[in-house]
Amino acid sequence: YVNTPSNKTITLNLNGKTINGTLSNWGTLNISNGTIALNGDGWTLTNYSTMNIYNLNVNYSKQNNGTALMNQGTMTMRGGTVYSGGNAFVNRSGRATIRNVTITGVTAHGVLSEGGSRSEFYNCNINRLCNGDSVGYGQVFVINTNVDYIYPNNPVVSIGRSGNSLAMAMYA
């Protein structure tokens, strides 16, 4: 278990290595080039403040009682994968910008945006997308992104153009 303090900025280049366990960020975390994996209950990688992720694989192997990537702050992710036997990426009351990432939730959501969050996806692959759950709806913007399934409880889906690209937005 790794916990970054609220008054620190930490840069962590994993150089292809794996952290087995959980990592919670309360400060500013820049993390890249490796894997974070959790085989037990919990959240594999959690952000409560500011986090920048580059070429990282985040894995949660169980089918319940946890999430691979939980965001409750401000985060960006460029490159990598987020995989979970249950929920892969949950954005709860946070702001996330994700580019060139494959997000897969096996038995639950690939992406769950809730609680007034704002999630932006560019050039991603998402297997299951849900806007809103037990703590309310968020805003979801999907640009040049493949989404295999959108859960039907989404209140509004708007599809339009963003420059030369087709964009989809979901909001309450």
Side-chain angles (χ1 to χ4, degrees):
Y1 176 82
V2 178
N3 191 8
T4 64
S6 61
N7 59 346
K8 300 290 183 186
T9 297
I10 296 176
T11 299
L12 182 60
N13 184 337
L14 296 176
N15 289 318
K17 303 296 184 198
T18 298
I19 294 175
N20 290 304
T22 63
L23 194 156
S24 295
N25 175 52
W26 295 89
T28 299
L29 176 63
N30 302 301
I31 187 168
S32 61
N33 302 319
T35 300
I36 299 176
L38 178 63
N39 294 320
D41 291 342
W43 298 341
T44 307
L45 178 58
T46 306
N47 178 47
Y48 297 102
S49 186
T50 302
M51 184 165 57
N52 299 298
I53 303 168
Y54 304 96
N55 300 316
L56 189 73
N57 300 309
V58 184
N59 301 316
Y60 175 73
S61 65
K62 292 186 78 175
Q63 293 185 356
N64 54 22
N65 298 325
T67 295
L69 178 57
M70 170 65 78
N71 181 52
Q72 295 184 8
T74 300
M75 66 162 281
T76 61
M77 183 173 186
R78 290 188 170 88
T81 62
V82 181
Y83 174 86
S84 176
N87 288 320
F89 171 64
V90 176
N91 192 14
R92 182 174 293 157
S93 304
R95 181 173 175 105
T97 303
I98 300 177
R99 297 177 185 274
N100 303 312
V101 176
T102 297
I103 303 171
T104 306
V106 176
T107 61
H109 309 298
V111 170
L112 174 58
S113 185
E114 61 184 12
S117 63
R118 179 180 172 102
S119 305
E120 300 175 10
F121 300 94
Y122 301 87
N123 303 311
C124 294
N125 290 300
I126 301 169
N127 75 323
R128 296 178 181 156
L129 176 62
C130 181
N131 181 27
D133 206 348
S134 59
V135 295
Y137 297 102
Q139 293 180 321
V140 180
F141 299 89
V142 180
I143 300 168
N144 288 339
T145 292
N146 178 55
V147 178
D148 294 335
Y149 181 78
I150 299 173
Y151 281 86
N153 66 330
N154 296 298
V156 177
V157 176
S158 173
I159 299 176
R161 290 226 168 257
S162 174
N164 293 327
S165 303
L166 189 62
M168 177 180 72
M170 296 189 300
Y171 46 91

